[in-house]
């Protein structure tokens, strides 16, 4: 593969691919339940702050580095360090990213598999069901979880094996418009069948009495995860960006679309939650338990439910491919392995680690790994609250302090004022906040 000439076709392909990476389970499953358990509006406000002042400057940096050095995160960081006469140890950011990608993919695929399974469960709904029992039935069977986990990871590996243009590009052009249309249908459904005004005030009128130090950590972790930052996915996609594409504008569109979809997911879910008198703070089971019982009750609920879980699965797929791409790109660019072989091998590793997450719903539910957390929650914690914030912190320090500013300026273009603004945030605001919030969890 010639990395110099491999480029997305047209400006919108990069935007669709990056938005496809960003919009995923984090937006439609994670954001609503975290907003629900953290008291609503205040969490939303802190989350928006994290996106804008931590996420956006780091996203600009990742895209800039990818676009200039055009490699996997490892070689991008290595080349970037060399050109700015910095230590080649900075490539550790790239290595951390490859590992984080495989770790996240391992549990992401288990969750996405449950979503795939739920498409069929919803379509088969006939009248009342006990949705708690249903969820327990789905998750108590290691074999059933294994089947869907395997299907999901095979689809991911197959797309990545097909390559950047015929795999990723073709897929996101198909999936992203579908996702957007399905989302609008879900919001219209919530508007008609739900209590829209109560949901609106729950999401947008902040009550700071529910805010603790943990709210900040959770909102920041969620912002990194949701924007796909700190592990090289966006950097890797930036490597296929056309050289004349604007970075500020593209970053703002991607971050904006990601935020829009998270908000729309809230507006699709909470109105029906409230209309049915269900508590918004039920946690990770919010969509699988609370929503399912509501779908069972709605007119045409089986179709609406089926569409909802299809939407969730599509969003998950366009994200999971970006979790696998950085490590596959690394092996392929070095000609160590072909893309299909690298893709099968790395997906196989993620599949294997995923078995731990899958078992944590049933056979391993009593085993704890980090603190009192089961395997799945430990992997989630490791990724969201350690690997991604640390990856993002080091990207910010590198881009702000180590990279030669004239290189950044040449790559970013635009006005002097916007450049100075980015530079100020990436030097003083983003890293300090990430570090502060990160350290806070230990005291
Ligand atoms: N952003 C994706 C989501 O919101 C998850 C993801 C994280 C994808 C990191 C790639 C890299 O679900």
């Amino acid at each position: 593969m010639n990395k110099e000439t491999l480029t997305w076709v047209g400006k919108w392909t990069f935007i669709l691919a990056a938005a496809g990476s960003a919009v995923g389970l984090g937006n439609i499953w994670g954001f609503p339940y975290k907003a629900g358990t953290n008291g609503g509006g205040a969490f939303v406000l802190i989350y928006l702050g994290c996106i804008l002042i931590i996420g956006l400057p780091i996203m600009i940096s990742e895209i800039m580095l990818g676009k200039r050095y055009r490699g996997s995160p490892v070689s991008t960081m290595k080349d970037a360090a060399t050109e700015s006469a910095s230590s080649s140890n900075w490539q550790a950011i790239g290595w951390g990213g490859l590992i984080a990608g495989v770790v996240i993919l391992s549990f992401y695929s288990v969750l996405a598999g449950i979503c795939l399974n739920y498409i069929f469960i919803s379509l088969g709904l006939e009248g009342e069901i006990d949705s708690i029992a249903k969820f327990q039935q789905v998750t108590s069977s290691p074999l059933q979880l294994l089947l869907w986990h395997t299907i999901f990871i095979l689809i991911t590996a197959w797309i990545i094996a097909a390559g950047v243009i015929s795999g990723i590009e073709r897929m996101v052009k198909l999936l992203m418009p579908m996702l957007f249309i399905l989302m609008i249908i879900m919001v219209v459904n919530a508007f008609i069948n739900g209590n829209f005004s109560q949901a609106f005030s729950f999401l947008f009128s902040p009550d700071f009495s529910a805010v603790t130090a943990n709210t900040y950590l959770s909102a920041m972790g969620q912002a990194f995860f949701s924007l796909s930052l700190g592990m090289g996915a966006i950097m890797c996609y930036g490597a296929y960006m056309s050289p004349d594409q604007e970075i500020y504008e593209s970053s703002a569109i991607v971050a904006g679309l990601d935020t829009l979809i998270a908000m729309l997911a809230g507006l699709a879910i909470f109105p029906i939650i409230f209309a049915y008198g269900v508590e918004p703070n039920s946690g990770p089971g919010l969509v699988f338990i609370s929503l399912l019982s509501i779908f069972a009750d709605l007119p045409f609920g089986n179709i609406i439910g089926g569409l909802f879980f299809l939407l969730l699965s599509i969003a998950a797929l366009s994200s999971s491919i970006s979790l696998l791409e950085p490590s596959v790109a690394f092996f392929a660019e070095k000609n160590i392995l072909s893309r299909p072989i690298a893709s099968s091998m790395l997906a196989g590793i993620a599949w294997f680690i995923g078995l731990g997450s899958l078992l944590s719903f049933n056979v391993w539910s009593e085993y704890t790994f980090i603190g009192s957390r089961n395997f799945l929650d430990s992997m989630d914690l490791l990724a969201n609250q350690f690997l991604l914030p640390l990856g993002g912190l080091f990207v910010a320090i590198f881009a702000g302090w180590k990279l030669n500013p004239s290189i950044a300026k040449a790559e970013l273009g635009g006005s002097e004022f916007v450049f100075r603004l980015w530079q100020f945030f990436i030097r003083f605001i983003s890293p300090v906040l990430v570090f502060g919030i990160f350290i806070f969890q230990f005291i």
Side-chain angles (χ1 to χ4, degrees), residues 38 59 71 95 120 126 146 225 256 273 301-302 308 312 322 347 356:
N38 283 292
M59 178 177 277
W95 285 106
F120 300 96
E126 286 169 23
L146 181 68
F225 188 79
I273 295 284
N302 55 343
F308 178 80
L312 209 49
S322 73

Side-chain angles (χ1 to χ4, degrees), residues 21-27 104 108 225-229 231 233 319 322-323 388:
S21 167
V23 173
L25 295 178
N27 305 59
I104 298 174
Y108 205 80
F225 188 79
S226 190
L227 291 175
S228 305
L229 294 178
M231 53 72 63
S319 300
S322 73
L323 288 163
L388 300 186

